Amino acid sequence: MRIVITGPNGFIASNIILKLNKKNEIILLSNKKPKFQFLKKFKMIKFDLKKNIIPNIDCDILIHAAAITPQKKYSFKEFEKTNFKSLKEIVKNIKIKKKIIFFSTSDIYKNQEKHFMLKENMHINIKKLSAYAKSKYKCEDYLKKLDPKKFSFEKIILRLPGIVGENNHKNFISNITNNILNNRKFTIFGGENYFNNIFHIHSLTKFVNELIEIKIKKNFEIINLCAKNPMKIKNILLLLGSKITPTKLKLSKKNMFTMNADKLNKYFKYNLNTKKILTKYKKEIISKNK
């Protein structure tokens, strides 16, 4: 089976590649030289979202991980062009036979009407989205509207929260953990809020490998990636080792939400609960800092 992967130098894609079945033919699309030694053994083809350099190739499965993110400041037009418009060119240039696995974002739920355990089918007010989230949501909508007869491959959308693991990008949990380990002062709002917007990179790589092998009954599917059994923010702080007592936390419920994991749990029996992910991540960070 031929698997094409975009953004191989990134944290998520590189970890996925490391765990893929080596019996598959793996082709990497990137505008940079291999960042990691193990990537050098794979065929790499020139690919650049910003410059619209997209090769004309075919594959059984496309794992589309390349994107620009809010970690750097980009304009609305840059997000629109690089994340959304480039997807149209990818679908046009790359012949996908079986499925595309597209990485979207849980940022789509930000600034929406808050409900406990947000589901994939909830109405999204696109006007309230950030430029980044809007570009990802428009990608989702584009894939959904593709003619299933002309584009018969499965479209699998994974809405990613903060992904943790060794060398992960900065996110809510990694920032808290680093502050605690370095004895920095910080303030957290929403101590009484429940939180499960977290997923471990090891679980993600395992799930992607399963998605490669199984057949989704639907032509289009959106799946929240999130932990089971949400925890209160104040209890998360205590678990991570914070010396701040729960009574000193700001207890507002502003700008917080939890994600519904029912659909994920149906497809992925190895999904971890919030406590286990946090405990696993804490051990990794402490071990790294020794």
Side-chain angles (χ1 to χ4, degrees):
M1 185 156 51
R2 175 180 282 188
I3 301 175
V4 170
I5 304 172
T6 67
N9 285 311
F11 169 66
I12 291 175
S14 61
N15 275 277
I16 290 172
I17 295 165
L18 194 61
K19 298 297 182 180
L20 285 176
N21 190 327
K22 300 304 183 289
K23 292 181 179 179
N24 295 311
E25 179 187 1
I26 300 170
I27 299 175
L28 311 180
L29 304 186
S30 179
N31 65 337
K32 299 177 182 178
K33 293 181 179 180
K35 181 179 178 182
F36 305 100
Q37 185 66 31
F38 75 93
L39 293 177
K40 293 182 179 180
K41 63 182 178 182
F42 300 108
K43 181 179 180 180
M44 188 168 287
I45 299 176
K46 182 70 175 178
F47 171 84
D48 195 321
L49 291 179
K50 293 181 180 180
K51 297 180 180 179
N52 199 28
I53 300 174
I54 299 167
N56 287 288
I57 57 174
D58 64 85
C59 64
D60 294 298
I61 295 174
L62 172 64
I63 300 175
H64 186 27
I68 56 173
T69 67
Q71 291 174 340
K72 293 182 180 180
K73 291 185 178 180
Y74 293 102
S75 66
F76 171 81
K77 288 185 177 180
E78 287 175 305
F79 280 118
E80 176 85 359
K81 177 184 176 182
T82 308
N83 290 350
F84 171 56
K85 291 183 177 180
S86 64
L87 178 63
K88 292 184 176 182
E89 295 302 312
I90 287 172
V91 173
K92 178 181 176 182
N93 288 20
I94 300 177
K95 184 179 179 181
I96 306 168
K97 298 177 182 178
K98 292 186 177 181
K99 67 184 71 178
I100 178 173
I101 299 174
F102 176 77
F103 293 127
S104 187
T105 176
S106 64
D107 281 9
I108 285 168
Y109 295 123
K110 287 184 178 180
N111 303 317
Q112 303 295 312
E113 290 185 15
K114 300 298 187 294
H115 301 283
F116 188 68
M117 296 295 213
L118 300 178
K119 293 186 176 182
E120 293 88 347
N121 62 354
M122 77 168 285
H123 173 71
I124 300 296
N125 186 342
I126 195 169
K127 293 181 180 180
K128 294 184 177 182
L129 298 180
S130 66
Y132 168 64
K134 185 178 291 186
S135 69
K136 287 291 189 176
Y137 185 73
K138 289 179 73 172
C139 287
E140 292 185 10
D141 193 53
Y142 169 72
L143 291 173
K144 182 179 181 179
K145 290 179 179 177
L146 285 176
D147 184 347
K149 293 183 178 179
K150 185 177 179 181
F151 303 95
S152 59
F153 55 86
E154 297 172 7
K155 297 91 180 172
I156 303 172
I157 312 296
L158 303 182
R159 287 181 175 167
L160 272 59
I163 304 297
V164 296
E166 190 173 349
N167 299 318
N168 62 245
H169 298 307
K170 290 182 178 180
N171 55 58
F172 177 67
I173 291 297
S174 68
N175 288 338
I176 288 175
T177 306
N178 286 328
N179 283 333
I180 291 173
L181 291 177
N182 291 289
N183 295 314
R184 298 193 191 104
K185 292 182 179 180
F186 62 98
T187 301
I188 292 294
F189 291 88
E192 290 294 328
N193 283 87
Y194 284 88
F195 178 88
N196 74 333
N197 308 341
I198 185 174
F199 210 65
H200 198 282
I201 188 63
H202 293 166
S203 295
L204 176 55
T205 57
K206 185 179 291 187
F207 185 41
V208 168
N209 270 287
E210 290 194 3
L211 288 174
I212 288 171
E213 299 298 331
I214 67 173
K215 183 172 179 59
I216 301 291
K217 293 181 179 179
K218 298 179 181 179
N219 180 264
F220 176 83
E221 185 74 293
I222 299 176
I223 304 172
N224 286 337
L225 292 197
C226 54
K228 295 188 292 187
N229 307 118
M231 289 177 62
K232 285 188 176 183
I233 296 293
K234 64 181 184 181
N235 293 330
I236 288 175
L237 292 177
L238 293 173
L239 186 150
L240 292 174
S242 175
K243 296 179 181 178
I244 303 173
T245 61
T247 55
K248 292 184 179 179
L249 295 174
K250 301 290 185 179
L251 300 182
S252 69
K253 295 187 177 182
K254 185 178 180 181
N255 294 327
M256 300 295 292
F257 61 88
T258 55
M259 297 165 68
N260 184 287
D262 288 349
K263 192 181 289 188
L264 172 63
N265 296 336
K266 181 180 73 173
Y267 287 115
F268 188 52
K269 63 181 180 180
Y270 301 106
N271 191 19
L272 301 176
N273 63 42
T274 307
K275 185 176 181 179
K276 285 186 178 180
I277 294 177
L278 291 167
T279 302
K280 181 180 178 71
Y281 179 58
K282 180 183 176 182
K283 288 180 180 178
E284 290 172 339
I285 296 302
I286 291 175
S287 177
K288 181 181 177 181
N289 291 334
K290 282 184 177 179

